[in-house]
Amino acid sequence: GEEPAAPAPAQTPADTAPGAPGFPQVAAVRETDPVDTPEDAADDPAIWVDAKDPSRSVIVGTAKKSGLFVYGLDGKQLQFLPEGRIN
């Protein structure tokens, strides 16, 4: 019979860090506008794609302390919902 495959070696954080051999490199083509809420940070992005009308697709992200931001695929802010801490 065939020998069973050897288990893959465990990966360490250094193995998966950007720039590590075999780690895919992806260059940003666009960037969203920065959050304009003081002492806050953008987080948890999601991309919603409208399959019937791609021009309606958006990027949604939280501002950790202040609410929800909605951006167009060009990265320009479309809406801000000041809902407070939603993370």
mmCIF file of all heavy atoms in Angstrom, residues 2-60:
data_model
loop_
_atom_site.group_PDB
_atom_site.id
_atom_site.type_symbol
_atom_site.label_atom_id
_atom_site.label_comp_id
_atom_site.label_asym_id
_atom_site.label_seq_id
_atom_site.Cartn_x
_atom_site.Cartn_y
_atom_site.Cartn_z
ATOM 1 N N GLU A 2 0.138 2.325 -0.090
ATOM 2 C CA GLU A 2 0.795 3.635 -0.096
ATOM 3 C C GLU A 2 1.050 4.107 1.322
ATOM 4 O O GLU A 2 0.290 3.818 2.229
ATOM 5 C CB GLU A 2 -0.081 4.665 -0.815
ATOM 6 C CG GLU A 2 -0.109 4.482 -2.308
ATOM 7 C CD GLU A 2 -0.867 5.607 -2.988
ATOM 8 O OE1 GLU A 2 -0.834 6.752 -2.482
ATOM 9 O OE2 GLU A 2 -1.480 5.347 -4.012
ATOM 10 N N GLU A 3 2.133 4.851 1.480
ATOM 11 C CA GLU A 3 2.446 5.463 2.762
ATOM 12 C C GLU A 3 1.491 6.644 2.975
ATOM 13 O O GLU A 3 1.224 7.392 2.051
ATOM 14 C CB GLU A 3 3.894 5.994 2.747
ATOM 15 C CG GLU A 3 4.935 4.912 2.664
ATOM 16 C CD GLU A 3 5.130 4.240 4.004
ATOM 17 O OE1 GLU A 3 5.044 4.909 5.041
ATOM 18 O OE2 GLU A 3 5.340 3.016 4.011
ATOM 19 N N PRO A 4 0.986 6.838 4.185
ATOM 20 C CA PRO A 4 0.150 8.023 4.440
ATOM 21 C C PRO A 4 1.005 9.281 4.341
ATOM 22 O O PRO A 4 2.203 9.263 4.632
ATOM 23 C CB PRO A 4 -0.380 7.811 5.856
ATOM 24 C CG PRO A 4 0.478 6.745 6.461
ATOM 25 C CD PRO A 4 1.115 5.976 5.337
ATOM 26 N N ALA A 5 0.362 10.352 3.917
ATOM 27 C CA ALA A 5 1.074 11.633 3.783
ATOM 28 C C ALA A 5 1.500 12.122 5.155
ATOM 29 O O ALA A 5 0.771 11.968 6.138
ATOM 30 C CB ALA A 5 0.178 12.653 3.122
ATOM 31 N N ALA A 6 2.680 12.704 5.206
ATOM 32 C CA ALA A 6 3.176 13.263 6.460
ATOM 33 C C ALA A 6 2.365 14.512 6.788
ATOM 34 O O ALA A 6 1.968 15.259 5.891
ATOM 35 C CB ALA A 6 4.652 13.616 6.318
ATOM 36 N N PRO A 7 2.108 14.759 8.076
ATOM 37 C CA PRO A 7 1.362 15.973 8.427
ATOM 38 C C PRO A 7 2.168 17.214 8.067
ATOM 39 O O PRO A 7 3.405 17.208 8.099
ATOM 40 C CB PRO A 7 1.158 15.856 9.937
ATOM 41 C CG PRO A 7 2.152 14.842 10.398
ATOM 42 C CD PRO A 7 2.481 13.976 9.228
ATOM 43 N N ALA A 8 1.459 18.275 7.702
ATOM 44 C CA ALA A 8 2.125 19.535 7.366
ATOM 45 C C ALA A 8 2.757 20.110 8.626
ATOM 46 O O ALA A 8 2.194 19.987 9.712
ATOM 47 C CB ALA A 8 1.112 20.518 6.790
ATOM 48 N N PRO A 9 3.938 20.718 8.488
ATOM 49 C CA PRO A 9 4.558 21.308 9.671
ATOM 50 C C PRO A 9 3.717 22.475 10.182
ATOM 51 O O PRO A 9 3.056 23.159 9.411
ATOM 52 C CB PRO A 9 5.923 21.783 9.156
ATOM 53 C CG PRO A 9 5.789 21.866 7.682
ATOM 54 C CD PRO A 9 4.724 20.889 7.287
ATOM 55 N N ALA A 10 3.725 22.674 11.492
ATOM 56 C CA ALA A 10 2.981 23.782 12.088
ATOM 57 C C ALA A 10 3.576 25.097 11.609
ATOM 58 O O ALA A 10 4.798 25.226 11.466
ATOM 59 C CB ALA A 10 3.042 23.680 13.606
ATOM 60 N N GLN A 11 2.709 26.064 11.347
ATOM 61 C CA GLN A 11 3.195 27.374 10.924
ATOM 62 C C GLN A 11 3.381 28.259 12.142
ATOM 63 O O GLN A 11 2.603 28.211 13.089
ATOM 64 C CB GLN A 11 2.214 28.026 9.961
ATOM 65 C CG GLN A 11 2.177 27.353 8.616
ATOM 66 C CD GLN A 11 1.317 28.132 7.645
ATOM 67 O OE1 GLN A 11 0.322 28.709 8.014
ATOM 68 N NE2 GLN A 11 1.728 28.139 6.399
ATOM 69 N N THR A 12 4.415 29.060 12.101
ATOM 70 C CA THR A 12 4.657 30.028 13.158
ATOM 71 C C THR A 12 4.251 31.395 12.643
ATOM 72 O O THR A 12 4.124 31.599 11.430
ATOM 73 C CB THR A 12 6.152 30.051 13.540
ATOM 74 O OG1 THR A 12 6.897 30.538 12.419
ATOM 75 C CG2 THR A 12 6.638 28.674 13.954
ATOM 76 N N PRO A 13 4.051 32.378 13.538
ATOM 77 C CA PRO A 13 3.708 33.714 13.056
ATOM 78 C C PRO A 13 4.703 34.266 12.033
ATOM 79 O O PRO A 13 4.332 34.934 11.089
ATOM 80 C CB PRO A 13 3.692 34.550 14.334
ATOM 81 C CG PRO A 13 3.335 33.572 15.403
ATOM 82 C CD PRO A 13 4.011 32.282 14.975
ATOM 83 N N ALA A 14 5.982 33.923 12.172
ATOM 84 C CA ALA A 14 6.983 34.397 11.211
ATOM 85 C C ALA A 14 6.750 33.792 9.829
ATOM 86 O O ALA A 14 7.052 34.405 8.816
ATOM 87 C CB ALA A 14 8.389 34.069 11.702
ATOM 88 N N ASP A 15 6.183 32.562 9.774
ATOM 89 C CA ASP A 15 5.914 31.913 8.492
ATOM 90 C C ASP A 15 4.792 32.592 7.722
ATOM 91 O O ASP A 15 4.706 32.475 6.510
ATOM 92 C CB ASP A 15 5.507 30.443 8.691
ATOM 93 C CG ASP A 15 6.623 29.588 9.258
ATOM 94 O OD1 ASP A 15 7.799 29.924 9.049
ATOM 95 O OD2 ASP A 15 6.293 28.586 9.921
ATOM 96 N N THR A 16 3.886 33.254 8.424
ATOM 97 C CA THR A 16 2.705 33.824 7.779
ATOM 98 C C THR A 16 2.735 35.350 7.732
ATOM 99 O O THR A 16 1.779 35.966 7.298
ATOM 100 C CB THR A 16 1.430 33.360 8.504
ATOM 101 O OG1 THR A 16 1.517 33.740 9.878
ATOM 102 C CG2 THR A 16 1.247 31.853 8.396
ATOM 103 N N ALA A 17 3.820 35.955 8.180
ATOM 104 C CA ALA A 17 3.923 37.413 8.163
ATOM 105 C C ALA A 17 4.109 37.913 6.734
ATOM 106 O O ALA A 17 4.701 37.222 5.906
ATOM 107 C CB ALA A 17 5.100 37.858 9.026
ATOM 108 N N PRO A 18 3.573 39.116 6.422
ATOM 109 C CA PRO A 18 3.818 39.673 5.090
ATOM 110 C C PRO A 18 5.303 39.685 4.774
ATOM 111 O O PRO A 18 6.120 40.022 5.613
ATOM 112 C CB PRO A 18 3.255 41.092 5.196
ATOM 113 C CG PRO A 18 2.214 40.985 6.265
ATOM 114 C CD PRO A 18 2.770 39.978 7.253
ATOM 115 N N GLY A 19 5.633 39.266 3.584
ATOM 116 C CA GLY A 19 7.027 39.201 3.166
ATOM 117 C C GLY A 19 7.662 37.849 3.397
ATOM 118 O O GLY A 19 8.751 37.585 2.913
ATOM 119 N N ALA A 20 6.992 36.967 4.146
ATOM 120 C CA ALA A 20 7.534 35.624 4.375
ATOM 121 C C ALA A 20 7.485 34.839 3.073
ATOM 122 O O ALA A 20 6.610 35.059 2.241
ATOM 123 C CB ALA A 20 6.731 34.904 5.463
ATOM 124 N N PRO A 21 8.413 33.948 2.848
ATOM 125 C CA PRO A 21 8.402 33.151 1.625
ATOM 126 C C PRO A 21 7.064 32.426 1.454
ATOM 127 O O PRO A 21 6.534 31.848 2.400
ATOM 128 C CB PRO A 21 9.538 32.144 1.838
ATOM 129 C CG PRO A 21 10.417 32.770 2.870
ATOM 130 C CD PRO A 21 9.507 33.596 3.738
ATOM 131 N N GLY A 22 6.490 32.519 0.288
ATOM 132 C CA GLY A 22 5.234 31.845 -0.007
ATOM 133 C C GLY A 22 4.003 32.605 0.427
ATOM 134 O O GLY A 22 2.890 32.206 0.145
ATOM 135 N N PHE A 23 4.168 33.722 1.134
ATOM 136 C CA PHE A 23 3.026 34.527 1.562
ATOM 137 C C PHE A 23 2.622 35.434 0.407
ATOM 138 O O PHE A 23 3.455 36.150 -0.138
ATOM 139 C CB PHE A 23 3.406 35.368 2.787
ATOM 140 C CG PHE A 23 2.239 36.038 3.459
ATOM 141 C CD1 PHE A 23 1.478 35.345 4.387
ATOM 142 C CD2 PHE A 23 1.897 37.335 3.172
ATOM 143 C CE1 PHE A 23 0.407 35.953 5.024
ATOM 144 C CE2 PHE A 23 0.828 37.950 3.788
ATOM 145 C CZ PHE A 23 0.080 37.251 4.721
ATOM 146 N N PRO A 24 1.360 35.394 -0.022
ATOM 147 C CA PRO A 24 0.969 36.207 -1.186
ATOM 148 C C PRO A 24 1.091 37.696 -0.897
ATOM 149 O O PRO A 24 0.746 38.155 0.186
ATOM 150 C CB PRO A 24 -0.492 35.823 -1.436
ATOM 151 C CG PRO A 24 -0.943 35.115 -0.221
ATOM 152 C CD PRO A 24 0.257 34.637 0.527
ATOM 153 N N GLN A 25 1.617 38.416 -1.846
ATOM 154 C CA GLN A 25 1.743 39.865 -1.732
ATOM 155 C C GLN A 25 0.627 40.513 -2.545
ATOM 156 O O GLN A 25 0.432 40.188 -3.715
ATOM 157 C CB GLN A 25 3.104 40.329 -2.269
ATOM 158 C CG GLN A 25 4.288 39.756 -1.513
ATOM 159 C CD GLN A 25 4.320 40.223 -0.073
ATOM 160 O OE1 GLN A 25 4.314 41.416 0.204
ATOM 161 N NE2 GLN A 25 4.341 39.282 0.857
ATOM 162 N N VAL A 26 -0.113 41.409 -1.934
ATOM 163 C CA VAL A 26 -1.221 42.088 -2.593
ATOM 164 C C VAL A 26 -1.017 43.587 -2.421
ATOM 165 O O VAL A 26 -0.910 44.074 -1.298
ATOM 166 C CB VAL A 26 -2.580 41.676 -1.982
ATOM 167 C CG1 VAL A 26 -3.717 42.416 -2.649
ATOM 168 C CG2 VAL A 26 -2.764 40.171 -2.067
ATOM 169 N N ALA A 27 -0.967 44.296 -3.520
ATOM 170 C CA ALA A 27 -0.807 45.750 -3.464
ATOM 171 C C ALA A 27 -2.178 46.415 -3.499
ATOM 172 O O ALA A 27 -3.056 46.007 -4.256
ATOM 173 C CB ALA A 27 0.032 46.226 -4.650
ATOM 174 N N ALA A 28 -2.381 47.415 -2.663
ATOM 175 C CA ALA A 28 -3.638 48.155 -2.655
ATOM 176 C C ALA A 28 -3.750 48.993 -3.929
ATOM 177 O O ALA A 28 -2.789 49.626 -4.348
ATOM 178 C CB ALA A 28 -3.703 49.066 -1.436
ATOM 179 N N VAL A 29 -4.920 48.971 -4.520
ATOM 180 C CA VAL A 29 -5.189 49.779 -5.706
ATOM 181 C C VAL A 29 -5.968 51.030 -5.311
ATOM 182 O O VAL A 29 -5.799 52.090 -5.890
ATOM 183 C CB VAL A 29 -5.979 48.958 -6.749
ATOM 184 C CG1 VAL A 29 -6.348 49.790 -7.950
ATOM 185 C CG2 VAL A 29 -5.180 47.739 -7.168
ATOM 186 N N ARG A 30 -6.814 50.892 -4.294
ATOM 187 C CA ARG A 30 -7.610 52.002 -3.784
ATOM 188 C C ARG A 30 -7.594 51.936 -2.259
ATOM 189 O O ARG A 30 -7.254 50.926 -1.665
ATOM 190 C CB ARG A 30 -9.048 51.905 -4.281
ATOM 191 C CG ARG A 30 -9.167 52.170 -5.751
ATOM 192 C CD ARG A 30 -10.629 52.254 -6.172
ATOM 193 N NE ARG A 30 -10.722 52.516 -7.578
ATOM 194 C CZ ARG A 30 -10.684 51.587 -8.518
ATOM 195 N NH1 ARG A 30 -10.552 50.333 -8.199
ATOM 196 N NH2 ARG A 30 -10.775 51.909 -9.785
ATOM 197 N N GLU A 31 -8.020 53.040 -1.658
ATOM 198 C CA GLU A 31 -8.065 53.121 -0.209
ATOM 199 C C GLU A 31 -9.278 53.952 0.167
ATOM 200 O O GLU A 31 -9.598 54.925 -0.500
ATOM 201 C CB GLU A 31 -6.784 53.805 0.274
ATOM 202 C CG GLU A 31 -6.576 53.779 1.740
ATOM 203 C CD GLU A 31 -5.215 54.337 2.108
ATOM 204 O OE1 GLU A 31 -4.212 53.987 1.471
ATOM 205 O OE2 GLU A 31 -5.164 55.138 3.057
ATOM 206 N N THR A 32 -9.974 53.576 1.252
ATOM 207 C CA THR A 32 -11.118 54.372 1.687
ATOM 208 C C THR A 32 -10.636 55.665 2.320
ATOM 209 O O THR A 32 -9.493 55.766 2.784
ATOM 210 C CB THR A 32 -11.981 53.608 2.709
ATOM 211 O OG1 THR A 32 -11.179 53.295 3.841
ATOM 212 C CG2 THR A 32 -12.578 52.355 2.109
ATOM 213 N N ASP A 33 -11.530 56.656 2.346
ATOM 214 C CA ASP A 33 -11.241 57.882 3.074
ATOM 215 C C ASP A 33 -10.995 57.506 4.529
ATOM 216 O O ASP A 33 -11.616 56.569 5.048
ATOM 217 C CB ASP A 33 -12.432 58.844 3.007
ATOM 218 C CG ASP A 33 -12.663 59.432 1.618
ATOM 219 O OD1 ASP A 33 -11.719 59.461 0.809
ATOM 220 O OD2 ASP A 33 -13.799 59.864 1.347
ATOM 221 N N PRO A 34 -10.105 58.219 5.229
ATOM 222 C CA PRO A 34 -9.885 57.899 6.649
ATOM 223 C C PRO A 34 -11.118 58.262 7.477
ATOM 224 O O PRO A 34 -11.869 59.168 7.121
ATOM 225 C CB PRO A 34 -8.684 58.761 7.034
ATOM 226 C CG PRO A 34 -8.598 59.812 5.998
ATOM 227 C CD PRO A 34 -9.259 59.295 4.761
ATOM 228 N N VAL A 35 -11.308 57.558 8.599
ATOM 229 C CA VAL A 35 -12.408 57.921 9.489
ATOM 230 C C VAL A 35 -12.105 59.293 10.075
ATOM 231 O O VAL A 35 -10.960 59.623 10.357
ATOM 232 C CB VAL A 35 -12.633 56.878 10.605
ATOM 233 C CG1 VAL A 35 -13.074 55.554 10.021
ATOM 234 C CG2 VAL A 35 -11.428 56.702 11.472
ATOM 235 N N ASP A 36 -13.148 60.103 10.226
ATOM 236 C CA ASP A 36 -12.952 61.465 10.732
ATOM 237 C C ASP A 36 -13.478 61.614 12.155
ATOM 238 O O ASP A 36 -13.852 62.683 12.586
ATOM 239 C CB ASP A 36 -13.593 62.483 9.805
ATOM 240 C CG ASP A 36 -15.082 62.246 9.603
ATOM 241 O OD1 ASP A 36 -15.626 61.283 10.173
ATOM 242 O OD2 ASP A 36 -15.706 63.023 8.870
ATOM 243 N N THR A 37 -13.499 60.511 12.882
ATOM 244 C CA THR A 37 -13.928 60.546 14.269
ATOM 245 C C THR A 37 -12.677 60.552 15.147
ATOM 246 O O THR A 37 -11.806 59.708 14.988
ATOM 247 C CB THR A 37 -14.829 59.334 14.582
ATOM 248 O OG1 THR A 37 -14.188 58.139 14.159
ATOM 249 C CG2 THR A 37 -16.159 59.447 13.868
ATOM 250 N N PRO A 38 -12.561 61.533 16.054
ATOM 251 C CA PRO A 38 -11.338 61.683 16.853
ATOM 252 C C PRO A 38 -10.990 60.437 17.657
ATOM 253 O O PRO A 38 -11.859 59.780 18.214
ATOM 254 C CB PRO A 38 -11.670 62.847 17.793
ATOM 255 C CG PRO A 38 -12.834 63.542 17.178
ATOM 256 C CD PRO A 38 -13.580 62.514 16.389
ATOM 257 N N GLU A 39 -9.702 60.147 17.716
ATOM 258 C CA GLU A 39 -9.158 59.044 18.502
ATOM 259 C C GLU A 39 -9.908 57.734 18.267
ATOM 260 O O GLU A 39 -10.250 57.022 19.198
ATOM 261 C CB GLU A 39 -9.161 59.407 19.989
ATOM 262 C CG GLU A 39 -8.290 60.605 20.298
ATOM 263 C CD GLU A 39 -8.272 60.931 21.771
ATOM 264 O OE1 GLU A 39 -8.498 60.028 22.604
ATOM 265 O OE2 GLU A 39 -8.019 62.098 22.098
ATOM 266 N N ASP A 40 -10.179 57.425 17.004
ATOM 267 C CA ASP A 40 -10.910 56.225 16.628
ATOM 268 C C ASP A 40 -10.127 55.485 15.555
ATOM 269 O O ASP A 40 -9.166 56.013 15.005
ATOM 270 C CB ASP A 40 -12.296 56.593 16.119
ATOM 271 C CG ASP A 40 -13.341 55.524 16.405
ATOM 272 O OD1 ASP A 40 -12.957 54.383 16.731
ATOM 273 O OD2 ASP A 40 -14.533 55.828 16.297
ATOM 274 N N ALA A 41 -10.541 54.279 15.248
ATOM 275 C CA ALA A 41 -9.864 53.480 14.232
ATOM 276 C C ALA A 41 -10.896 52.724 13.403
ATOM 277 O O ALA A 41 -11.869 52.207 13.941
ATOM 278 C CB ALA A 41 -8.917 52.490 14.895
ATOM 279 N N ALA A 42 -10.668 52.672 12.088
ATOM 280 C CA ALA A 42 -11.526 51.892 11.206
ATOM 281 C C ALA A 42 -11.240 50.415 11.429
ATOM 282 O O ALA A 42 -10.116 50.023 11.720
ATOM 283 C CB ALA A 42 -11.261 52.285 9.759
ATOM 284 N N ASP A 43 -12.299 49.596 11.267
ATOM 285 C CA ASP A 43 -12.149 48.177 11.584
ATOM 286 C C ASP A 43 -13.246 47.386 10.887
ATOM 287 O O ASP A 43 -14.244 47.941 10.429
ATOM 288 C CB ASP A 43 -12.271 48.012 13.097
ATOM 289 C CG ASP A 43 -11.737 46.689 13.612
ATOM 290 O OD1 ASP A 43 -11.076 45.963 12.850
ATOM 291 O OD2 ASP A 43 -11.978 46.393 14.784
ATOM 292 N N ASP A 44 -13.084 46.089 10.837
ATOM 293 C CA ASP A 44 -14.100 45.137 10.391
ATOM 294 C C ASP A 44 -14.740 45.479 9.041
ATOM 295 O O ASP A 44 -15.955 45.588 8.941
ATOM 296 C CB ASP A 44 -15.197 44.985 11.452
ATOM 297 C CG ASP A 44 -14.643 44.513 12.781
ATOM 298 O OD1 ASP A 44 -13.688 43.714 12.756
ATOM 299 O OD2 ASP A 44 -15.141 44.938 13.820
ATOM 300 N N PRO A 45 -13.954 45.627 7.986
ATOM 301 C CA PRO A 45 -14.561 45.952 6.691
ATOM 302 C C PRO A 45 -15.318 44.763 6.091
ATOM 303 O O PRO A 45 -14.986 43.609 6.351
ATOM 304 C CB PRO A 45 -13.365 46.313 5.818
ATOM 305 C CG PRO A 45 -12.250 45.510 6.392
ATOM 306 C CD PRO A 45 -12.507 45.475 7.881
ATOM 307 N N ALA A 46 -16.335 45.084 5.331
ATOM 308 C CA ALA A 46 -17.092 44.084 4.574
ATOM 309 C C ALA A 46 -17.443 44.712 3.234
ATOM 310 O O ALA A 46 -17.666 45.919 3.152
ATOM 311 C CB ALA A 46 -18.360 43.690 5.319
ATOM 312 N N ILE A 47 -17.463 43.906 2.196
ATOM 313 C CA ILE A 47 -17.837 44.404 0.869
ATOM 314 C C ILE A 47 -19.150 43.750 0.486
ATOM 315 O O ILE A 47 -19.272 42.526 0.505
ATOM 316 C CB ILE A 47 -16.747 44.091 -0.175
ATOM 317 C CG1 ILE A 47 -15.433 44.742 0.249
ATOM 318 C CG2 ILE A 47 -17.176 44.560 -1.555
ATOM 319 C CD1 ILE A 47 -14.253 44.364 -0.596
ATOM 320 N N TRP A 48 -20.137 44.576 0.184
ATOM 321 C CA TRP A 48 -21.437 44.082 -0.277
ATOM 322 C C TRP A 48 -21.509 44.359 -1.769
ATOM 323 O O TRP A 48 -21.322 45.485 -2.216
ATOM 324 C CB TRP A 48 -22.582 44.780 0.449
ATOM 325 C CG TRP A 48 -23.925 44.383 -0.086
ATOM 326 C CD1 TRP A 48 -24.585 43.226 0.159
ATOM 327 C CD2 TRP A 48 -24.740 45.128 -0.990
ATOM 328 N NE1 TRP A 48 -25.779 43.204 -0.526
ATOM 329 C CE2 TRP A 48 -25.893 44.361 -1.249
ATOM 330 C CE3 TRP A 48 -24.610 46.369 -1.612
ATOM 331 C CZ2 TRP A 48 -26.913 44.789 -2.085
ATOM 332 C CZ3 TRP A 48 -25.618 46.791 -2.451
ATOM 333 C CH2 TRP A 48 -26.751 46.001 -2.678
ATOM 334 N N VAL A 49 -21.759 43.312 -2.552
ATOM 335 C CA VAL A 49 -21.824 43.433 -4.008
ATOM 336 C C VAL A 49 -23.256 43.214 -4.464
ATOM 337 O O VAL A 49 -23.873 42.195 -4.129
ATOM 338 C CB VAL A 49 -20.885 42.399 -4.682
ATOM 339 C CG1 VAL A 49 -21.015 42.465 -6.193
ATOM 340 C CG2 VAL A 49 -19.449 42.631 -4.250
ATOM 341 N N ASP A 50 -23.790 44.181 -5.206
ATOM 342 C CA ASP A 50 -25.117 44.055 -5.810
ATOM 343 C C ASP A 50 -24.916 43.400 -7.173
ATOM 344 O O ASP A 50 -24.412 44.027 -8.110
ATOM 345 C CB ASP A 50 -25.760 45.425 -5.947
ATOM 346 C CG ASP A 50 -27.195 45.361 -6.434
ATOM 347 O OD1 ASP A 50 -27.531 44.454 -7.232
ATOM 348 O OD2 ASP A 50 -27.987 46.226 -6.031
ATOM 349 N N ALA A 51 -25.277 42.131 -7.276
ATOM 350 C CA ALA A 51 -25.048 41.375 -8.510
ATOM 351 C C ALA A 51 -25.846 41.929 -9.683
ATOM 352 O O ALA A 51 -25.399 41.860 -10.825
ATOM 353 C CB ALA A 51 -25.394 39.906 -8.288
ATOM 354 N N LYS A 52 -27.010 42.496 -9.418
ATOM 355 C CA LYS A 52 -27.843 43.038 -10.503
ATOM 356 C C LYS A 52 -27.386 44.415 -10.945
ATOM 357 O O LYS A 52 -27.553 44.791 -12.085
ATOM 358 C CB LYS A 52 -29.307 43.084 -10.073
ATOM 359 C CG LYS A 52 -29.908 41.702 -9.925
ATOM 360 C CD LYS A 52 -31.377 41.777 -9.583
ATOM 361 C CE LYS A 52 -31.930 40.364 -9.450
ATOM 362 N NZ LYS A 52 -33.347 40.374 -9.118
ATOM 363 N N ASP A 53 -26.836 45.194 -10.015
ATOM 364 C CA ASP A 53 -26.377 46.549 -10.337
ATOM 365 C C ASP A 53 -25.080 46.815 -9.578
ATOM 366 O O ASP A 53 -25.096 47.397 -8.487
ATOM 367 C CB ASP A 53 -27.440 47.579 -9.973
ATOM 368 C CG ASP A 53 -27.057 48.999 -10.363
ATOM 369 O OD1 ASP A 53 -25.945 49.203 -10.921
ATOM 370 O OD2 ASP A 53 -27.862 49.910 -10.114
ATOM 371 N N PRO A 54 -23.929 46.373 -10.119
ATOM 372 C CA PRO A 54 -22.650 46.518 -9.411
ATOM 373 C C PRO A 54 -22.322 47.953 -8.997
ATOM 374 O O PRO A 54 -21.583 48.154 -8.042
ATOM 375 C CB PRO A 54 -21.627 45.987 -10.413
ATOM 376 C CG PRO A 54 -22.413 45.051 -11.279
ATOM 377 C CD PRO A 54 -23.786 45.650 -11.379
ATOM 378 N N SER A 55 -22.912 48.952 -9.657
ATOM 379 C CA SER A 55 -22.634 50.335 -9.278
ATOM 380 C C SER A 55 -23.183 50.659 -7.882
ATOM 381 O O SER A 55 -22.790 51.659 -7.281
ATOM 382 C CB SER A 55 -23.214 51.306 -10.307
ATOM 383 O OG SER A 55 -24.635 51.302 -10.245
ATOM 384 N N ARG A 56 -24.067 49.827 -7.358
ATOM 385 C CA ARG A 56 -24.626 50.025 -6.016
ATOM 386 C C ARG A 56 -23.812 49.316 -4.945
ATOM 387 O O ARG A 56 -24.133 49.416 -3.755
ATOM 388 C CB ARG A 56 -26.074 49.519 -5.980
ATOM 389 C CG ARG A 56 -27.015 50.316 -6.865
ATOM 390 C CD ARG A 56 -28.455 49.850 -6.714
ATOM 391 N NE ARG A 56 -28.829 49.943 -5.297
ATOM 392 C CZ ARG A 56 -29.607 49.062 -4.671
ATOM 393 N NH1 ARG A 56 -30.099 48.033 -5.303
ATOM 394 N NH2 ARG A 56 -29.903 49.221 -3.395
ATOM 395 N N SER A 57 -22.771 48.608 -5.298
ATOM 396 C CA SER A 57 -21.945 47.872 -4.340
ATOM 397 C C SER A 57 -21.246 48.842 -3.390
ATOM 398 O O SER A 57 -20.902 49.962 -3.777
ATOM 399 C CB SER A 57 -20.913 47.025 -5.083
ATOM 400 O OG SER A 57 -21.569 46.111 -5.937
ATOM 401 N N VAL A 58 -21.047 48.423 -2.145
ATOM 402 C CA VAL A 58 -20.448 49.300 -1.135
ATOM 403 C C VAL A 58 -19.476 48.539 -0.236
ATOM 404 O O VAL A 58 -19.496 47.313 -0.163
ATOM 405 C CB VAL A 58 -21.521 49.968 -0.244
ATOM 406 C CG1 VAL A 58 -22.381 50.930 -1.046
ATOM 407 C CG2 VAL A 58 -22.368 48.952 0.487
ATOM 408 N N ILE A 59 -18.667 49.310 0.462
ATOM 409 C CA ILE A 59 -17.782 48.813 1.509
ATOM 410 C C ILE A 59 -18.345 49.351 2.821
ATOM 411 O O ILE A 59 -18.630 50.542 2.934
ATOM 412 C CB ILE A 59 -16.343 49.314 1.313
ATOM 413 C CG1 ILE A 59 -15.801 48.851 -0.037
ATOM 414 C CG2 ILE A 59 -15.450 48.849 2.464
ATOM 415 C CD1 ILE A 59 -14.539 49.570 -0.463
ATOM 416 N N VAL A 60 -18.525 48.476 3.798
ATOM 417 C CA VAL A 60 -19.049 48.866 5.105
ATOM 418 C C VAL A 60 -17.968 48.577 6.134
ATOM 419 O O VAL A 60 -17.328 47.527 6.092
ATOM 420 C CB VAL A 60 -20.329 48.067 5.437
ATOM 421 C CG1 VAL A 60 -20.885 48.467 6.790
ATOM 422 C CG2 VAL A 60 -21.375 48.250 4.347
#
